[in-house]
Amino acid sequence: MSVENKQLNTPYYTLQYRIIGKGQPVFLVHGYGEDSRIWNNQIDALSAICQLIILDLPGSGQSVLTPKGVAEWLPELSIDELAECIHEIVHAEDLAPAVVMGHSMGGYITLAFANHYPNHLKALGLVHSTAFADNAEKKSVRLKSIEFIRQNGGYALFKTTMVNLFGESFRSSNPASVQELVEATKAFDPQVLIAYTYAMMQRPDRSDLLRYLPQPVLFVAGPEDIAAPLTDLEQQATIPNKSYLKVMEGVGHMGMLEAPSEMNRHLSGFIQLFI
């Protein structure tokens, strides 16, 4: 298995990403409070059939913001701007058309990429993610989270909220795995988390995009997911012309960790449609 550690420099950030394997390009985009390591359980299975591109979004993992990025880019951050990270890598590596799959916030970014660059897209995957915009209740929760982060930092927030993203069975039998993910959030600058939260809160509804997108769409859902409810994904899965819905029983929002073998079957089965 060939692994290339790459770096792309811009005036606003240094973008770190890995290219693993050969064949059809497949992007894996992580979510909020995560970095590219969230996909570690998928690497061996997927890189055997395709070329994985796994990035750290700016401000996450090894992708560091420049002083100019902190001053000018971060305050105006949007989900669409984060989608430009995928576009920059596509051009730098000549990877189009690519399969792009995102977890949670990464799914929002994937949808934005599909909206702006449909010609670069071969297929789309929403992994515990939704095309719906935040409703009023969700926006209120995000605003409270922003204020909490300002006063207490991101780690204090994730200590109380992250455990709820896992299904009941996993969180009771794997407390160390949950805690490991929580501890990793200490690395986040509160400014970055606040900017991410605003970006998610202000993103548009993109369910209409699903209706007109000619490329196939994969939905991966967990019945115990409180962040991307199964009922929402079941509704959205009826919209695209070509749609695949995979329901992971007993799973919450973190199927990559909760049931990695099953997740790998769903993702690899979808990828193999385009090889």
Side-chain angles (χ1 to χ4, degrees):
M1 178 176 63
S2 62
V3 181
E4 295 181 81
N5 292 303
K6 308 295 286 285
Q7 179 175 301
L8 194 157
N9 297 314
T10 80
Y12 301 118
Y13 48 78
T14 297
L15 196 62
Q16 301 282 346
Y17 57 99
R18 290 173 286 167
I19 299 180
I20 308 169
K22 298 184 180 300
Q24 169 61 50
V26 177
F27 280 81
L28 299 179
V29 187
H30 68 80
Y32 177 79
E34 304 166 359
D35 59 38
S36 61
R37 293 174 294 177
I38 201 72
W39 300 106
N40 280 354
N41 289 336
Q42 283 63 62
I43 289 174
D44 287 348
L46 300 187
S47 64
I49 62 170
C50 67
Q51 181 181 65
L52 290 180
I53 304 93
I54 313 177
L55 69 153
D56 285 332
L57 294 168
S60 298
Q62 302 300 310
S63 291
V64 179
L65 296 173
T66 65
K68 184 179 178 70
V70 173
E72 299 178 15
W73 183 82
L74 198 61
E76 304 297 325
L77 187 64
S78 67
I79 293 297
D80 295 71
E81 191 64 35
L82 287 169
E84 289 300 320
C85 298
I86 303 173
H87 185 230
E88 288 164 349
I89 297 172
V90 165
H91 271 284
E93 304 290 345
D94 193 20
L95 294 172
V99 177
V100 185
M101 300 194 284
H103 172 242
S104 196
M105 183 182 76
Y108 312 155
I109 296 166
T110 295
L111 285 163
F113 178 81
N115 184 60
H116 292 290
Y117 303 106
N119 292 338
H120 292 341
L121 185 71
K122 180 164 281 191
L124 174 72
L126 297 179
V127 181
H128 304 300
S129 190
T130 176
F132 293 156
D134 283 356
N135 58 25
E137 180 182 0
K138 185 69 173 180
K139 287 181 178 179
S140 176
V141 170
R142 294 209 197 273
L143 287 172
K144 290 176 182 176
S145 295
I146 287 169
E147 187 57 34
F148 188 90
I149 293 169
R150 281 202 180 103
Q151 295 185 13
N152 304 285
Y155 176 63
L157 176 71
F158 290 119
K159 278 199 300 185
T160 60
T161 60
M162 191 163 276
V163 66
N164 298 320
L165 297 178
F166 292 86
E168 183 178 356
S169 176
F170 185 89
R171 67 174 177 257
S172 62
S173 59
N174 296 273
S177 296
V178 177
Q179 187 60 31
E180 182 181 359
L181 195 62
V182 172
E183 291 300 312
T185 65
K186 288 180 178 178
F188 278 95
D189 186 318
Q191 290 183 85
V192 170
L193 292 173
I194 289 170
Y196 284 168
T197 307
Y198 270 124
M200 291 189 291
M201 187 177 70
Q202 294 166 349
R203 75 186 192 281
D205 186 295
R206 286 206 156 105
S207 50
D208 271 353
L209 173 66
L210 297 177
R211 182 168 291 108
Y212 300 109
L213 196 69
Q215 292 89 344
V217 182
L218 170 69
F219 299 85
V220 181
E224 298 184 35
D225 191 344
I226 61 171
L230 174 59
T231 52
D232 285 1
L233 271 63
E234 287 175 330
Q235 181 180 345
Q236 291 171 37
T238 67
I239 299 174
N241 183 44
K242 296 178 182 177
S243 178
Y244 303 83
L245 173 63
K246 302 297 181 181
V247 179
M248 301 179 67
E249 294 299 334
V251 164
H253 191 65
M254 309 294 289
M256 305 86 65
L257 303 177
E258 296 177 66
S261 294
E262 183 181 357
M263 177 66 77
N264 294 344
R265 287 197 304 272
H266 296 324
L267 299 186
S268 62
F270 185 66
I271 293 165
Q272 285 174 323
L273 297 173
F274 312 103
I275 296 175

